[in-house]
Amino acid sequence: KAGVTQTPRYLIKTRGQQVTLSCSPISGHRSVSWYQQTPGQGLQFLFEYFSETQRNKGNFPGRFSGRQFSNSRSEMNVSTLELGDSALYLCASSFELVRNEQFFGPGTRLTVL
Amino acid sequence: SQKIEQNSEALNIQEGKTATLTCNYTNYSPAYLQWYRQDPGRGPVFLLLIRENEKEKRKERLKVTFDTTLKQSLFHITASQPADSATYLCALEGSSNTGKLIFGQGTTLQVKP
């Protein structure tokens, strides 16, 4: 079974731009969660999608948004990028709810200049 | 406020010894707690999940305990090997039944041959 894939793996943007990251969950998984990981803040929950609906949202500004498609693939978008948005963005999938084990992708390393 | 604390200092042990990592939490009443391993540049990998009604769980050389009175989980690796060197993260549900998983900052384990 293929694991969680994320594209692109690396991205460099400048302040003010927007970015879209993509995540393909493990086949059959319906829950996709997104996390931001930085050295200072650690791994922080962004949002979770289940069957195309956002179930939970972390404490991030409205510039961070996401969506999930009918095939469970998910995208997250960050608009008006700031320097502080530089981070590793991780996507994780699980069969049902996050209280089951989550399978993480390799992440997208975003650098904002 | 809710807080999860893991040893911020790296844990250095000799090969063959037992490594014990601590996860303390305050102002939570989690139904379960998860442990993950993360290697540099990679996404976390699920290791174990323990529920509030379970005192202990084992998987091969790994053992997790969960004390809801002390609000603490201990993660043990017996007969540690250099390949066990990584950062270990504990995670629990932020609020009951929300599916919002909150991670600790992680403890880095270094096993020396």
Side-chain angles (χ1 to χ4, degrees), chain A residues 12-84:
Chain A
I12 299 175
K13 292 284 188 180
T14 55
R15 278 182 300 174
Q17 287 187 307
Q18 77 162 16
V19 67
T20 298
L21 311 181
S22 181
C23 171
S24 292
I26 290 173
S27 178
H29 285 191
R30 296 189 290 168
S31 170
V32 173
S33 297
W34 287 90
Y35 297 86
Q36 180 196 67
Q37 187 172 35
T38 59
Q41 299 296 320
L43 204 60
Q44 292 189 286
F45 175 83
L46 279 158
F47 26 67
E48 183 203 5
Y49 287 87
F50 185 83
S51 294
E52 302 179 67
T53 302
Q54 185 181 88
R55 295 181 67 248
N56 289 292
K57 192 175 191 311
N59 299 323
F60 279 81
R63 300 185 296 106
F64 291 82
S65 63
R67 59 178 175 167
Q68 187 180 34
F69 302 95
S70 57
N71 62 358
S72 293
R73 191 177 70 83
S74 177
E75 288 181 346
M76 69 162 279
N77 184 279
V78 188
S79 61
T80 320
L81 284 166
E82 300 177 0
L83 295 178

Side-chain angles (χ1 to χ4, degrees), chain B residues 3-105:
Chain B
K3 192 185 284 189
I4 304 173
E5 289 183 339
Q6 295 185 253
N7 294 350
S8 57
E9 290 183 14
L11 179 63
N12 295 299
I13 64 168
Q14 208 64 35
E15 182 177 8
K17 301 292 186 184
T18 296
T20 299
L21 286 68
T22 306
C23 177
N24 295 304
Y25 58 93
T26 54
N27 296 322
Y28 283 107
S29 294
Y32 62 92
L33 189 146
Q34 301 182 14
W35 283 89
Y36 288 81
R37 167 186 173 142
Q38 187 172 25
D39 292 284
R42 294 174 176 253
V45 174
F46 173 83
L47 295 173
L48 281 166
L49 180 152
I50 187 166
R51 303 186 191 284
E52 60 179 338
N53 60 349
E54 298 174 315
K55 296 291 185 186
E56 180 180 298
K57 203 152 196 183
R58 291 175 186 261
K59 179 183 175 183
E60 297 172 352
R61 294 185 295 111
L62 309 179
K63 184 178 86 171
V64 171
T65 62
F66 192 10
D67 190 324
T68 55
T69 302
L70 291 178
K71 294 188 181 295
Q72 180 182 79
S73 175
L74 297 179
F75 178 80
H76 306 272
I77 305 176
T78 57
S80 59
Q81 304 165 1
D84 295 327
S85 299
T87 296
Y88 292 85
L89 303 158
C90 72
L92 48 81
E93 196 172 36
S95 299
S96 33
N97 297 323
T98 62
K100 188 175 168 179
L101 207 60
I102 308 298
F103 281 81
Q105 291 276 52

